[in-house]
Amino acid sequence: MWIANNWTDYEVLDTSGGERLERWGDYILVRPDPQVIWNTPRTHKGWKNKNGHYHRSTKGGGTWEFFRLPDEWSISYTLGKSISGKSECQNFPALTFRLKPFSFKHTGLFPEQATNWEWFSAIIRKAPRPETSPVKVLNLFAYTGGATLAAAAAGAHVTHVDASKGMVTWAKENADASGLGGAPIRWLVDDCVKFAEREIRRGNKYDGIIMDPPSYGRGPKGEIWKIEETLWPLLQLMPKLLSQDALFFLINSYTTGLQPAVLSYLMNTILTKEFGGHVAAEEIGLPVTTNSLILPCGASGRWER
């Protein structure tokens, strides 16, 4: 399992009864987690001193209940703590993320992805590229920009694509907060499949691709995305978008059924046949403070030349 264990502004304090107790900076939230099927004693004081609690409805969805929680706040993450097994964090800016509770329990950040930020940031930093030919990275389904900021901070030129105008605006604000407002990032509101097809026709190539596809979604013009129907055709486009000297490819999955072995099979079928290299896929997780165990939070697949 790949573990995001370098956070200081975030931690999973405890888990029990279908919920996780989390600290986001100075604030404590309780959110549902369907994988928490155990019902251990809730001894951590945070359960009784929470600032926000998302209550899931039996009819689907749910609602937030707030206790002295601001409408918005920020947390930061410093890259480079695990590169080559030593601290190089002084060479990276702190990434700053605006947080706010919104529908379906989310806050605008998936902290477990930090383990992937560390991985591809190290690859970008070590790439033997002249200043006139920087590493080009494409981030599809880019959400609020965690991976975009990590890649840009490592020196890449990034194309950030998401179907939601609100998410792209949020990502830009995160870039400004992180001191990356002037970084070479293209911000695009577009359907990811259609954008990929147009980039192929234009002959544009990327040295790294990051992909975080949802289980279900809609494009800016109502295009429907169903991962079980659409992911395979999209993945088949990836070799046409990767440069001949491509460095990496990352795909994340929070969809039941798309386990690490499935991601490994997909990448080996599509990427290693064309480029060689090495594929690895694992669950990703977060450490739990109260018991030192690891909470699984999805899966990721990585290809590296």
Side-chain angles (χ1 to χ4, degrees), residues 215 227 253-263 266 299:
S215 299
I227 196 167
S253 170
Y254 292 92
T255 303
T256 302
L258 281 182
Q259 301 303 317
V262 176
L263 299 179
L266 289 169

Side-chain angles (χ1 to χ4, degrees), residues 45-89:
K45 63 181 181 180
W47 291 108
K48 295 181 179 180
N49 295 285
K50 54 187 177 287
N51 299 103
H53 191 168
Y54 186 90
H55 300 279
R56 188 178 294 281
S57 170
T58 56
K59 298 179 181 180
T63 57
W64 280 99
E65 180 182 15
F66 299 123
F67 312 90
R68 305 172 306 282
L69 185 72
D71 293 336
E72 182 181 307
W73 72 103
S74 298
I75 64 173
S76 296
Y77 181 84
T78 301
L79 279 168
K81 293 181 180 179
S82 62
I83 293 177
S84 301
K86 62 182 180 179
S87 175
E88 297 184 9
C89 57

